Amino acid sequence: MNTVGYRGRLAPSPTGLLHLGHARTFAVAAHRAVDHGGTLVLRNEDLDPQRCRPEFVKAMFEDLRWLGFHWNEGPDCGGPYAPYSQSERHEFYVGAWRRLRDGGFIFPCTCSRKELAEAASAPNDADDEPIYPGKCRGRTDAAKFEEPRGVNWRFRVPHGEKICFTDLRAGPQQFIAGKDFGDFLVWRRDDVPAYQLAVVVDDAEMRITEVVRGADLLKSTARHILLFRALELPVPKFYHCELMRDEAGIRLAKRHDALSIRQLRELGYSPQQVLKSTATDLHG
């Protein structure tokens, strides 16, 4: 294939050791970048200072290289859209927060966790965040805040609007704002931008044309489309990989140390064996 300007990305978060599910997603991303004759970007999503640790950053680079992945831009090799670690990109997120504030898309939220737990309705997906009950939704004092810190900030979703997109693997998707997901966090009171905002800003700033990630983020894509639209940014294409699960049918997470790439390496598995075990989605 000859798609000029294709830009894909690997975007691991160093909150634990990478596992087989990550290997599958990253293998698909790398394969599609090569298949399109494009550029592959490595972004270190070390956004959360409480959960991200230097030893996991080191392990991330080692494991990705051991698996044989090659990227054209990243924290280790630079590139035209540096920096490539989210912990160094705070000013980009603040700029986006200001645009959302000035456009009336977000509101300050002072609800406590206890209030949210007592009032919020459960989402359809048990892994997803609860639907925000709307207590602070009507606030109109956003313009008074010169900076985001000190309160949570939520995106005011257009209730009842159908957010539609076509996933390159899973096909047509549709989520209803206010029903499938509610007013979602874009900034935390401890001055950490939420994943939802950071990933949209970074994908746009780094000119990503196709996002490859796990199917657990299908619903989040609807949130991201709303943010792309509010910030007047181009929306990339999306390819959501099938999730890998353990023998009990539970999808892999970083708590599955037995299935971490690091553990498999120590047990004597080769990169080829590890990648072969994840290959069902490579040509999907």
Side-chain angles (χ1 to χ4, degrees):
M1 284 184 255
N2 183 23
T3 303
V4 177
Y6 180 99
R7 290 178 61 83
R9 43 74 150 184
L10 311 177
S13 178
T15 58
L17 295 172
L18 301 182
H19 55 62
L20 280 177
H22 296 114
R24 166 184 281 182
T25 300
F26 298 152
V28 172
H31 171 86
R32 291 183 67 80
V34 170
D35 195 42
H36 288 79
T39 297
L40 187 63
V41 176
L42 175 64
R43 185 168 70 228
N44 174 25
E45 296 201 337
D46 59 340
L47 192 64
D48 191 334
Q50 297 177 354
R51 299 178 60 216
C52 297
R53 290 158 51 181
E55 58 265 35
F56 292 140
V57 175
K58 183 174 183 289
M60 172 186 80
F61 279 107
E62 292 176 352
D63 291 345
L64 291 174
R65 291 192 183 105
W66 179 77
L67 286 169
F69 296 137
H70 302 281
W71 47 90
N72 308 101
E73 302 170 21
D76 57 331
C77 55
Y81 304 108
Y84 291 92
S85 290
Q86 289 187 328
S87 60
E88 301 174 34
R89 298 180 59 81
H90 193 79
E91 64 185 84
F92 292 93
Y93 310 136
V94 172
W97 171 82
R98 289 198 180 100
R99 294 197 297 275
L100 293 172
R101 177 202 62 188
D102 294 346
F105 293 103
I106 58 176
F107 59 90
C109 175
T110 54
C111 296
S112 67
R113 290 185 179 181
K114 181 179 179 181
E115 288 176 315
L116 292 176
E118 291 175 347
S121 58
N124 296 331
D125 182 354
D127 291 332
D128 201 15
E129 64 181 81
I131 302 294
Y132 177 67
K135 180 180 177 182
C136 296
R137 181 181 171 87
R139 289 182 61 164
T140 58
D141 58 338
K144 296 179 180 179
F145 291 80
E146 293 296 324
E147 56 184 26
R149 72 173 68 209
V151 297
N152 290 323
W153 289 85
R154 293 183 178 274
F155 188 92
R156 188 181 285 107
V157 305
H159 274 228
E161 180 175 336
K162 296 178 181 178
I163 313 300
C164 303
F165 63 97
T166 299
D167 184 73
L168 294 175
R169 186 194 71 85
Q173 304 292 314
Q174 175 180 289
F175 298 96
I176 301 175
K179 178 181 178 182
D180 294 318
F181 62 96
D183 298 331
F184 56 90
L185 276 177
V186 296
W187 208 283
R188 293 182 353 200
R189 69 177 75 241
D190 57 354
D191 204 28
V192 176
Y195 164 79
Q196 313 290 4
L197 178 63
V199 71
V200 165
V201 171
D202 289 344
D203 283 340
E205 291 284 345
M206 295 178 185
R207 308 298 193 267
I208 301 301
T209 61
E210 182 179 286
V211 172
V212 176
R213 58 192 181 196
D216 55 322
L217 290 169
L218 268 169
K219 188 187 295 185
S220 282
T221 301
R223 299 180 176 102
H224 298 165
I225 288 173
L226 290 175
L227 282 169
F228 279 116
R229 189 170 73 187
L231 292 167
E232 299 182 342
L233 298 172
V235 181
K237 296 179 180 178
F238 296 94
Y239 185 111
H240 287 82
C241 303
E242 184 180 356
L243 298 178
M244 292 199 71
R245 301 181 181 276
D246 63 15
E247 293 179 355
I250 300 172
R251 70 179 175 89
L252 297 190
K254 287 174 180 172
R255 62 180 177 274
H256 287 75
D257 287 342
L259 294 176
S260 71
I261 296 169
R262 179 57 50 96
Q263 180 70 12
L264 294 172
R265 285 176 60 186
E266 293 173 354
L267 290 173
Y269 286 83
S270 69
Q272 293 75 22
Q273 288 174 309
V274 172
L275 290 175
K276 185 177 180 180
S277 70
T278 71
T280 55
D281 210 11
L282 285 181
H283 298 278

